[in-house]
Structures are given as C-alpha cells and as structure tokens.
Amino acid sequence: KQEVTQIPAALSVPEGENLVLNCSFTDSAIYNLQWFRQDPGKGLTSLLLIQSSQREQTSGRLNASLDKSSGRSTLYIAASQPGDSATYLCAAYSGSRLTFGEGTQLTVNP
Amino acid sequence: NAGVTQTPKFQVLKTGQSMTLQCAQDMNHEYMSWYRQDPGMGLRLIHYSVGAGITDQGEVPNGYNVSRSTTEDFPLRLLSAAPSQTSVYFCASSYSIGKMNTEAFFGQGTRLTVV
C-alpha cells in the first residue's frame, strides 16, 4: 500500500525567503506525482505534474523535482510572497489511485 | 470550460437520511473519483471509475454507493447518513489512470454535516 508523507507539517517564513517542501512515498512504482495548493475552505488547485520519466517541472517561481529511486519529491518556492500562504499537498499515482500526503501548511509573513 | 462541478456546496443531513452528491466534468475524462477530507487524515479515496459502467472501491467505501452511467457524471450516494460521514467531499477527474496518466482536476468540494 502506497503511503505518502510530507514534512514539515507547518512552516512559517518571512516574505522573500526561498523554501523547500518535502514529500516522500513508499512505493517507487509510481506513474506520476502531482503537487496541489489548497486555500482554506477551497478545493485543490493543481500546481505541477511530474511524469515518472521526468526529473523536474517548473512553473514560474515553483520547481518540483522527483527522485523515484529514493521515493522523494520536493517543491521549491522562490522568493515567497504572502499570497503563497496555503496548504501544499503532494499526491502519488500508483496502481489505480492517487494517494495524498497530509500536506504542509505554509504561512508567509509580510 | 467549467472543469469539475460539484453540487451542493453545503449540506446538513439528519442521521439516517440519504442523499446524492453530484459531480460533473466537461473535459471528456475517463477517470473520476471521490475523496473525503478529514482533519488529521488527509484525503482518502472512497470510490473511483475508469469509465462509463465501471466502478471500484477505494480506501473507505462503506456507507457510500456510486454509479457511472455517462462519461460526464459520477454521483456519490450516501445510503443512511451517519455522524462519522461529516466531512468535506471532493470529486476529481483525469484523462486516465495508469501509465498514460495526466493531471487530476478537482471540484470545489461539498461540505457535509450529519447531525
């Protein structure tokens, strides 16, 4: 059974700081890994999808990497802004389902 | 392009009542799924479908029924609501599941309270 863990559970940083969110998964036989953002009381917004054959994906200030052999993915946020405050979730596709971590709650202080 | 639409957004039920949560997508996605999100437990898969007429159980299927008569719609039925089903429910869709996987899109959620 796939298990996904995200560390840290919560993170508070000053505006402008670069930061890294971590995601680990137990079953390396994944098809893809996807990062989401969730604002309080809202749905999930897709940030980046990394296919199993890729090592990283970039979108604006976001960069996600994938290392299947070690069962890890990281989400790098450059020059953080207060608007980046949200919960960030990673999810691994394996078998016929998507397995989520519990998320990292990020607060960026002005 | 509406994406994934869930209705209702909020619902209060009495214990023992039944109801259907609606989910529709307009992206011609084959794969659709239902999750529940609870504090401290993350998102857990309830049921999923890989195409019209095909459904299967996820991690927490008890107390829920699904059917997939069309590609667009994937309703979730609560047979006899219990307080333990108080949660936020999310519907998701993607082109396929497996090696040709593509990006998953989520609805805005249904907040259900069972009293």
Side-chain angles (χ1 to χ4, degrees):
Chain A
K1 177 186 173 185
Q2 178 74 272
E3 294 181 1
V4 178
T5 304
Q6 291 188 246
I7 294 173
L11 183 63
S12 181
V13 300
E15 181 176 4
E17 192 161 299
N18 301 327
L19 57 100
V20 174
L21 307 181
N22 296 293
C23 171
S24 62
F25 46 94
T26 55
D27 183 358
S28 62
I30 64 169
Y31 300 124
N32 306 301
L33 189 131
Q34 192 167 353
W35 283 91
F36 296 88
R37 169 187 173 136
Q38 186 176 29
D39 293 290
K42 303 294 185 183
L44 280 69
T45 300
S46 178
L47 296 174
L48 289 164
L49 173 74
I50 311 176
Q51 309 234 1
S52 61
S53 58
Q54 299 173 321
R55 288 215 173 250
E56 64 177 73
Q57 280 282 358
T58 298
S59 176
R61 294 182 294 108
L62 305 179
N63 176 276
S65 67
L66 175 64
D67 184 343
K68 283 181 59 178
S69 62
S70 66
R72 293 179 183 175
S73 177
T74 61
L75 179 66
Y76 175 82
I77 303 176
S80 58
Q81 303 170 358
D84 294 331
S85 298
T87 296
Y88 290 80
L89 297 156
C90 70
Y93 287 93
S94 57
S96 56
R97 60 193 60 191
L98 193 57
T99 303
F100 282 86
E102 289 194 36
T104 294
Q105 186 174 352
L106 173 66
T107 302
V108 181
N109 302 299
Chain B
N1 191 344
V4 180
T5 302
Q6 289 184 237
T7 56
K9 287 185 171 53
F10 302 92
Q11 183 71 49
V12 179
L13 287 179
K14 293 183 179 179
T15 297
Q17 285 185 318
S18 63
M19 79 159 293
T20 299
L21 279 63
Q22 302 291 345
C23 176
Q25 52 89 10
D26 60 359
M27 297 173 281
N28 201 30
H29 285 170
E30 294 178 351
Y31 184 84
M32 297 184 73
S33 53
W34 277 101
Y35 294 82
R36 59 178 289 173
Q37 186 176 35
D38 302 290
M41 306 198 73
L43 281 113
R44 293 179 292 168
L45 181 65
I46 304 171
H47 285 285
Y48 65 94
S49 169
V50 298
I54 306 170
T55 64
D56 206 346
Q57 296 181 351
E59 186 181 355
V60 287
N62 292 339
Y64 307 95
N65 261 358
V66 291
S67 60
R68 184 97 177 268
S69 57
T70 67
T71 299
E72 295 79 19
D73 300 299
F74 190 44
L76 177 72
R77 298 182 186 85
L78 278 68
L79 309 173
S80 177
S84 61
Q85 293 178 305
T86 294
S87 187
V88 182
Y89 292 85
F90 288 101
C91 178
S93 75
S94 64
Y95 274 113
S96 67
I97 197 75
K99 294 185 179 179
M100 295 296 292
N101 231 324
T102 57
E103 193 172 8
F105 295 87
F106 278 74
Q108 287 301 298
T110 296
R111 292 184 174 274
L112 176 67
T113 302
V114 183
V115 298

